[in-house]
Amino acid sequence: MSETESTGSKKREAYTQESLDNGEKNIQEKDAGVTNIEVYTEQYSGLVHRAALFISIFLIAYVYGLDGMIRYTFQYQATSSYQEHSLLSTVNCIKTVIGAAGQLWFARASDIFGRASILCVGLVCYIVGTIIESQATDISKFAAGACIYQLGLTGVQLMLEVIAMDFSNLNWRLFASFVPALPFIINTWISGNITAAIGTRWSWGIGMWAFILPLSCIPLGLCMLHMRYLARKNASDRLRSEFKLYKQMSWCDYIVEIFFWRLDILGLLLVCAVFGCILVPLTLAGGFSTEWQSARIIVPEVIGWVVALPLLLVWEAKFARHPLVAWDLIKDRGILAALIIAFHINFNWYMQGDYMYTVLQVAVNESVLSATRITSLYSFVSVITGTILGLVIVKARRTKPFIIFGIGCWFISFGLLVHFRGDSGSHSGIIGSLCLLGFGAGFFTYTTQASIQASTKSHSRMAVVTALYLSVYSIGSAVGSAVSGAIWTNILPREINKTIDSTIAPIAYGSPTTFILEYPWGTPAREALVVAYRYVQKILC
């Protein structure tokens, strides 16, 4: 062989080795959970397999969806039984702050450890939180259980949403995202019957889901085990384990690398501190004895604004190796616009919906069954509308016109809610308003989520960007609960004092369930309370 040929051969070998090294580097850039789910997707490419998978997802979603509707009612009963009904928005605010941070953690953890493993973590939190909530004897214990439950629910919902996205093509993604939401169509009409049958036994009404949900997860667990078996059989060389990547590390270094740096636990804690310290006090400062000047309100606000928020910004900008928010994604105006919409969806909904069940029972004289069904109409209509729209977008492949139309419907709906907000003549008006609100939501809630996923080119970032969208969605919930709670706890007591005798005013405010039993529809005290409710609900809407 000549010297020239020898030199060329060495160059080709060097080039080949460089290409292999680059290829290996690209493979390693993907987390183990992302790589494995791509292999699993190939094993479940057939129609029968995917049908079984989505039916399993539907079953779990059916259970937690029914639980959510029923728990909404029993949460109202629980807080009222503690004589602390006004703290309903506080409980909602705290658990949505926890849920917002949990979205990002579950998404990142699922990319690292796999979808099934993190689904199990969410399931455990769901069970533990439900048990604590059902056995709570005061508002503090109930709130603690609600937070753990919300963290678990967040994990289960996000994992089902991400799994549905993993096993669907882009043009079918909107339709697939509605699979976990489809149970609302059924649950809207049976949830009221269940709450009416259980009655005031709210502890049992909440606690029974601690064993019902795990049973519903069995079919999906079998599907995940089956696809794992097929993957090991057909593509074992492509499967990865996150633990093997760190076999050279000590366990201490491994835990620091995964939990402190890659999952950014400090950033998540700071997010909870910022929103918890800023928002929760807003729901606590009101009541018959306002406490805006007290230390328990001022100190958390100062900590949130002056300490926690600057620390969060500095940590995420300067020190976090894997920031919670991928700033290059935020620069995309399609993603930024979607996040702005996500925030306002739940902010607006909680402003009218946080106390809607109470308004229906107290100010419209609806029964438990009727109030439960009416508050579920929003979800019922939005799911039907969105599912049909998902089939349309399979062919249309555009989202912006539908999003704008849906938002336009909300302007009309909130105008109607301002007009129909209490008294016996508001029954049909509130139903129509909530149906229109749901109709508009079907055009832009999940559609906006699909658009933000379409803006993400890499599958390895789909779970993170979906979690980011849902986190901002949850933050909107927290802010909405905080603002509605601040309005309710500061204005309602003042309005009640204007029209109701001071000896019964605290009961009317703190335990409306007891009050409406003692003062039925048509009595002067009840009519006075309706006037106060109408005034506050007008401001909220």
Side-chain angles (χ1 to χ4, degrees), residues 114-391:
R115 314 301 196 219
S117 301
I118 303 306
L119 178 62
C120 291
V121 173
L123 186 60
V124 170
C125 292
Y126 187 104
I127 295 169
V128 172
T130 297
I131 293 172
I132 294 173
E133 211 174 346
S134 66
Q135 301 304 309
T137 54
D138 56 51
I139 193 68
S140 299
K141 294 174 184 176
F142 187 85
C147 289
I148 300 173
Y149 153 77
Q150 185 64 37
L151 188 63
L153 178 63
T154 294
V156 173
Q157 286 179 322
L158 179 63
M159 287 303 97
L160 293 187
E161 195 71 36
V162 171
I163 290 171
M165 300 304 99
D166 288 328
F167 287 84
S168 60
N169 299 324
L170 184 59
N171 59 323
W172 282 93
R173 193 154 290 170
L174 177 61
F175 181 78
S177 68
F178 269 99
V179 171
L182 283 174
F184 281 111
I185 298 174
I186 305 170
N187 291 339
T188 298
W189 306 110
I190 68 171
S191 58
N193 299 86
I194 296 174
T195 53
I198 295 174
T200 57
R201 296 174 296 166
W202 63 264
S203 179
W204 170 248
I206 293 175
M208 64 184 182
W209 302 103
F211 59 86
I212 295 177
L213 185 73
L215 292 175
S216 71
C217 292
I218 293 175
L220 181 61
L222 294 175
C223 286
M224 299 300 287
L225 289 173
H226 183 233
M227 66 177 71
R228 185 176 180 181
Y229 164 76
L230 293 177
R232 287 183 177 277
K233 179 181 177 181
N234 301 323
S236 59
D237 56 317
R238 293 167 54 197
L239 293 176
R240 293 170 52 202
S241 170
E242 188 63 30
F243 296 104
K244 291 181 181 178
L245 295 178
Y246 294 94
K247 59 185 178 182
Q248 298 88 357
M249 293 183 175
S250 66
W251 274 104
C252 182
D253 292 338
Y254 174 77
I255 290 172
V256 170
E257 173 65 23
I258 290 292
F259 290 96
F260 188 79
W261 291 116
R262 293 183 67 179
L263 294 177
D264 196 11
I265 292 296
L266 182 58
L268 292 170
L269 292 175
L270 287 171
V271 168
C272 292
V274 169
F275 287 102
C277 289
I278 292 174
L279 298 177
V280 173
L282 298 178
T283 67
L284 297 171
F288 278 96
S289 56
T290 56
E291 302 180 23
W292 288 105
Q293 294 82 17
S294 67
R296 79 183 189 119
I297 302 300
I298 295 173
V299 171
E301 289 290 339
V302 172
I303 292 174
W305 286 107
V306 179
V307 180
L309 182 58
L311 278 177
L312 175 63
L313 296 176
V314 171
W315 169 257
E316 291 296 309
K318 300 292 184 182
F319 299 106
R321 295 181 187 173
H322 302 273
L324 292 175
V325 178
W327 298 109
D328 59 313
L329 292 176
I330 300 299
K331 294 176 183 177
D332 186 322
R333 67 179 184 178
I335 291 178
L336 180 60
L339 294 179
I340 293 172
I341 293 174
F343 174 85
H344 285 93
I345 289 170
N346 262 20
F347 174 80
N348 289 353
W349 190 91
Y350 269 86
M351 289 298 290
Q352 62 81 29
D354 218 4
Y355 291 95
M356 177 60 78
Y357 182 87
T358 312
V359 170
L360 288 169
Q361 279 212 309
V362 175
V364 191
N365 197 32
E366 300 288 351
S367 65
V368 171
L369 173 62
S370 178
T372 304
R373 284 182 173 174
I374 291 173
T375 53
S376 304
L377 283 174
Y378 167 85
S379 300
F380 174 75
V381 176
S382 67
V383 169
I384 291 179
T385 305
T387 303
I388 296 172
L389 181 64
L391 295 173

